[in-house]
Amino acid sequence: MPEIKLAIDAMGGDNGPSIVIDALCQLINEGTPHHFLVVGQHDSVTPLLSQYNLDEHPQVTFVHAEQVVEMDEKPGQALRAKPHSSMSIALELLAKGEADGVVSGGNTGALMAKAYFQLKTLPGVLRPALMAALPNQLGGRSYLLDLGANASCDSETLFQFGVMGSVAAQILEDISSPNVSLLNMGEEEIKGNDVVKNAALRLASSEHVNYTGFVEGNHLFSGKADVIVCDGFVGNIALKSCEGLATLIVDQLKSALMSHWMYRLFFRFLQKRTQKSWDRLKPDHYNGASLIGLRGVVIKSHGSANAKAFGSAIRQAITEAQAQLPERIKDRVESVLLEQH
Amino acid sequence: MPEIKLAIDAMGGDNGPSIVIDALCQLINEGTPHHFLVVGQHDSVTPLLSQYNLDEHPQVTFVHAEQVVEMDEKPGQALRAKPHSSMSIALELLAKGEADGVVSGGNTGALMAKAYFQLKTLPGVLRPALMAALPNQLGGRSYLLDLGANASCDSETLFQFGVMGSVAAQILEDISSPNVSLLNMGEEEIKGNDVVKNAALRLASSEHVNYTGFVEGNHLFSGKADVIVCDGFVGNIALKSCEGLATLIVDQLKSALMSHWMYRLFFRFLQKRTQKSWDRLKPDHYNGASLIGLRGVVIKSHGSANAKAFGSAIRQAITEAQAQLPERIKDRVESVLLEQH
């Protein structure tokens, strides 16, 4: 596998640059052969690089950025007023070919807007999409897209998301012909709105996608589909609703388990013995949403990620860059466009 | 409180009439003063009524129905071909004023279509909506609508859902001025599609709703809003996604807990001691989605409900019928229509 050079936006995320540098340090200590361009404000980042003994490390290069996109800044404003932000400079390194991918834990809206503006979509691709991996009951992962890059989509855009998601699942999960489904309010053909019905016809008619019909929300985690397609409005709400429920369940479980010393003791014991099966569900392992359809690898880390989770996002970027996911998507979209003529 | 007469569709649900009759028997044994018109096929239902000693009970009247709507039948077909189904006859009893409400665990699409056709919407109401209560982190309930009665909605329809949900939360939760929110992919005003943006303006301009802005999916269970409004496509997917995640978590928890005799023992002990806090989250307690906006109380019980859960759905119907929820919604919608002129 080729060595990769990643541009890392060190200023993004709720927890500041320390978790980013910590994540890099862990990866380097584990023996990663890749190179990292750490983009951020000199005064915030260089002391941390010294602290972690990365200031003169051959795999780490610091790149200064004057500006920072705030987490609550409006994307349009960030796009216009922050051309020298760490996010913009990281994307610029990718656009100029000086990096093979970008990882940022910053403002999602700003990252999507800047990435779209600075990198552009691949030839023939209508819109980029935000895609994430979800754990499923079969022990594997299913990919859900779009998670919020597009508030509404026409059926051709949803069709393309199916094509792009299929290429991604092939590469990332090593599945030869991933099952691609559309998220709908029922499984019967007559269910849903016109956009999903037309997208279904379009997906069923293509030889380049293994379309397996509609799935309902309860199948996000069942493993019935390897790729699940919806517009960004629906995907964002579905995923965040699940986050909300998980928080509620964990809160109830914790308060029940912490109410007595014996439960606490047992909980620790149980935790150790069942670590593996729980680890599969932990958000840390699923951190790193891919912004696909662009001319370059861009990974969005969750704003509240810790160092371990940020490390997962970096690994995701390495995998996609090594597999040349954008080029593979470009090839597939070209074949699909040829099929139509 | 007045005594209520409910028409119960005994043939709906995956588990057949036995759980329905079992639920009725439990309610009557608990001393409910209400009357039940049990609608179903003679040969399936009367033996069960005898078995539970309800065949000559003064609070129970059997009503024969020749046909049954199957759980997987297409709603349009059920509407045309099954005018003598238990579902239709139960709704007919309500339409004729012989019952104060209907409870059915049958085919959701068919129930929505038949109820809309047989009862009609209240004056001024554009569309009925399916509404359910969700447990929240504050220990209360939030109401989510629409859950699938309408695949797409215009902004005026979403506005009306806010009005109707507000009346329902006032009555069912005894909140004087419920917080009403729109479900969106972000909380800022610029987020989302045109339909939710226009619905937000409409809700903010009315004196008859306490509109508190957009909420994201993670607030479905936070208690931030008492009423959360979305179209049926989004609501259905959000709720079913949560069902899917809950199944995944419970599966993992069970397999972890059942892997050793000591865990199993502890689990039983823990279960007993923490029953109360878990009971709050159990679907049994939240069974009973209300089809609101119609000229009558119609409650949809989950297809897979057990007797206890079906009992919750019956209680929901009794509460709504006693509070005359349809009349209260009619009054509020009238006030809103007057406000516009």
Side-chain angles (χ1 to χ4, degrees), chain B residues 188-205:
Chain B
E188 307 85 10
E189 281 174 31
I190 54 151
K191 284 286 172 83
N193 54 40
D194 289 341
V195 176
V196 293
K197 285 183 206 168
N198 289 330
L201 295 174
R202 196 68 190 81
L203 281 162
S205 73

Side-chain angles (χ1 to χ4, degrees), chain A residues 195-217:
Chain A
V195 175
V196 293
K197 285 183 207 167
N198 290 330
L201 295 175
R202 195 69 190 79
L203 281 162
S205 73
S206 175
E207 281 187 9
H208 298 279
V209 190
N210 177 23
Y211 177 63
T212 48
F214 292 137
V215 287
E216 295 187 70

Side-chain angles (χ1 to χ4, degrees), chain B residues 197-226:
Chain B
K197 285 183 206 168
N198 289 330
L201 295 174
R202 196 68 190 81
L203 281 162
S205 73
S206 175
E207 282 187 9
H208 297 280
V209 189
N210 176 25
Y211 177 63
T212 48
F214 292 137
V215 288
E216 295 187 71
N218 51 326
H219 284 295
L220 284 189
F221 303 94
S222 74
K224 190 176 177 184
D226 302 307

